[in-house]
């Protein structure tokens, strides 16, 4: 929006079109590939950013903290609700249906199962997920508005404070997950609700820790050179996100692995696929200006064909 506005382009309509394209891509990913899609949620939350674009920083900050604290207070409240007051239906028949559909079913049967069972569940929680995502968008928006990523040196004391706070919180919150899982620490709520609560909380603290760590590491030339290998992956984030789903769906489908791999095998898949994407992204951006999904996104946003080929031929990123 800022770049478009500086070029005297209709930034609101461009941003709206850009987010609308993301919503369409996300819904296609959601319906035809994987019900765990996050793109459509990001798009819906992204539309709300238009309401804050010309707001004062203190207003953005106030809304961000209100949403963040409000949502986490609700999560904390859920921990105090006894398990017997929140009846959990028996999910085993539904789990077996999912395994049958995704292991042996045709593509049509996949879609039928998703439309009948998974999509209604996702949509029933959509409003809550949007309210959980929005404060993070607003904090990022506020950081960009203040120039944290362009003038990092001016904010180093604040970045260091956030780094220490995030590290301390993560050191407490992350170990709680296995402690709850193995019954060492208990809450009135069920184990599944308690674990999910601490997964969410530790995710928030770890994300702040990762972001501030990267900002601090980028000040060191040696660390910056190492981190530059990850830059192409980030520049092709949409393409890599979608390709991860396609790769894993194919692996699971061909190997009849749905519902069977443990965490260890899942970790191996993650490391192998992401490592491959580092090299593929670097090669791709040495020859092309944009990732394939990013190129399509850009063309549809501006309503015109944009050349994908890098001018001057191939060169290293």
């Amino acid at each position: 929006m800022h770049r478009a506005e500086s070029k005297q382009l209709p930034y609101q309509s461009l941003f709206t079109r850009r987010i609308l394209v993301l919503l369409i891509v996300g819904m296609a990913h959601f319906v035809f590939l994987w019900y765990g899609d996050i793109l459509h949620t990001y798009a819906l939350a992204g539309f709300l950013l238009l309401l804050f674009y010309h707001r004062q920083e203190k207003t953005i900050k106030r809304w961000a903290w209100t949403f963040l604290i409000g949502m986490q207070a609700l999560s904390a409240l859920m921990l105090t609700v006894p398990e017997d007051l929140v009846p959990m239906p028996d999910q085993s028949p539904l789990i077996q249906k999912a395994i049958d559909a995704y292991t042996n079913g045709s593509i049509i049967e996949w879609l039928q199962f998703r439309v009948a069972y998974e999509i209604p569940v996702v949509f029933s929680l959509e409003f809550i997920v949007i309210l959980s995502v929005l404060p993070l968008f607003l904090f990022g928006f506020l950081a960009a508005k203040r120039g944290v990523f362009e003038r990092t040196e001016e904010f180093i004391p604040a970045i260091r404070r956030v780094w220490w706070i995030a590290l301390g919180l993560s050191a407490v919150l992350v170990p709680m997950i296995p402690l709850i899982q193995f019954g060492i620490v208990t809450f009135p709520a069920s184990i599944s609700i308690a674990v999910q609560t601490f997964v969410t909380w530790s995710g928030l603290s770890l994300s702040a820790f990762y972001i501030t760590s990267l900002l601090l590491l980028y000040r060191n030339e040696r660390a910056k050179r190492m981190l530059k290998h990850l830059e192409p992956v980030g520049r092709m984030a949409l393409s890599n996100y979608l390709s991860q789903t396609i790769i894993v769906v194919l692996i699971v489908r061909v190997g009849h692995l749905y519902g069977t791999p443990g965490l260890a095998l899942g970790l191996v898949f993650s490391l192998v696929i992401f490592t491959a994407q580092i090299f593929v992204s670097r090669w791709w951006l040495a020859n092309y200006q944009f990732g394939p999904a990013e190129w399509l996104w850009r063309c549809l946003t501006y309503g015109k064909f944009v050349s994908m080929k890098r001018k001057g031929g191939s060169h290293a990123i």
Side-chain angles (χ1 to χ4, degrees), residues 31-150:
V31 173
F32 296 106
L33 287 172
W34 184 47
Y35 78 96
D37 172 77
I38 195 63
L39 298 177
H40 74 283
T41 302
Y42 285 172
L44 293 171
F47 280 120
L48 298 177
L49 288 180
L50 281 169
L51 302 175
F52 295 91
Y53 183 60
H54 284 301
R55 295 295 187 95
Q56 294 182 350
E57 291 183 5
K58 64 179 181 180
T59 302
I60 299 171
K61 187 176 181 179
R62 183 165 60 246
W63 278 100
W65 279 113
T66 298
F67 282 125
L68 182 67
I69 293 173
M71 294 304 297
Q72 304 324 309
L74 287 175
S75 295
L77 186 61
M78 287 298 295
L79 288 175
T80 67
V81 179
E83 183 176 1
D84 54 2
L85 295 182
V86 185
M88 300 293 290
D90 182 13
Q91 296 290 331
S92 53
L94 184 59
I95 292 172
Q96 189 57 50
K97 282 185 179 180
I99 293 173
D100 291 341
Y102 288 125
T103 302
N104 304 311
S106 65
I107 298 298
I108 298 300
E109 289 172 321
W110 286 19
L111 294 177
Q112 288 174 338
F113 178 83
R114 190 165 298 139
V115 170
Y117 298 103
E118 293 174 336
I119 291 179
V121 171
V122 172
F123 280 161
S124 69
L125 300 172
E126 194 67 52
F127 183 68
I128 295 174
V129 179
I130 290 172
L131 291 184
S132 300
V133 167
L134 183 59
L136 308 185
F137 277 25
L138 290 175
F139 281 122
F141 182 42
L142 184 60
K145 195 175 180 71
R146 289 181 174 178
V148 172
F149 306 112
E150 289 78 20

Side-chain angles (χ1 to χ4, degrees), residues 66-267:
T66 298
F67 282 125
L68 182 67
I69 293 173
M71 294 304 297
Q72 304 324 309
L74 287 175
S75 295
L77 186 61
M78 287 298 295
L79 288 175
T80 67
V81 179
E83 183 176 1
D84 54 2
L85 295 182
V86 185
M88 300 293 290
D90 182 13
Q91 296 290 331
S92 53
L94 184 59
I95 292 172
Q96 189 57 50
K97 282 185 179 180
I99 293 173
D100 291 341
Y102 288 125
T103 302
N104 304 311
S106 65
I107 298 298
I108 298 300
E109 289 172 321
W110 286 19
L111 294 177
Q112 288 174 338
F113 178 83
R114 190 165 298 139
V115 170
Y117 298 103
E118 293 174 336
I119 291 179
V121 171
V122 172
F123 280 161
S124 69
L125 300 172
E126 194 67 52
F127 183 68
I128 295 174
V129 179
I130 290 172
L131 291 184
S132 300
V133 167
L134 183 59
L136 308 185
F137 277 25
L138 290 175
F139 281 122
F141 182 42
L142 184 60
K145 195 175 180 71
R146 289 181 174 178
V148 172
F149 306 112
E150 289 78 20
R151 305 188 309 278
T152 304
E153 286 299 321
E154 298 177 20
F155 300 92
I156 290 302
I159 291 171
R160 282 205 176 103
R161 283 197 299 273
V162 175
W163 187 88
W164 280 109
I165 293 170
L167 177 62
L169 287 173
S170 300
V172 174
L173 295 171
V174 172
M176 286 293 292
I177 298 170
L179 291 176
I180 295 169
Q181 192 72 57
F182 291 109
I184 300 171
V185 175
T186 60
F187 290 91
S190 67
I191 289 178
S192 61
I193 290 176
V195 166
Q196 185 56 52
T197 300
F198 279 90
V199 166
T200 300
W201 287 348
S202 61
L204 291 171
S205 63
L206 284 171
S207 66
F209 174 73
Y210 296 151
I211 292 168
T212 50
S213 294
L214 288 170
L215 288 171
L216 293 172
L217 285 170
Y218 255 81
R219 301 171 69 229
N220 180 284
E221 284 302 318
R222 184 177 179 183
K224 188 175 181 179
R225 285 196 300 271
M226 294 176 63
L227 289 170
K228 282 187 76 68
H229 294 293
L230 297 177
E231 289 179 7
V233 184
R235 289 176 56 195
M236 290 177 55
L238 181 59
S239 296
N240 284 321
Y241 176 80
L242 296 172
S243 64
Q244 284 171 8
T245 299
I246 294 169
I247 292 168
V248 174
V249 166
L250 287 174
I251 291 173
V252 169
R253 177 65 177 181
V254 172
H256 300 284
L257 297 175
Y258 185 82
T260 59
L263 288 176
L265 184 57
L267 178 60

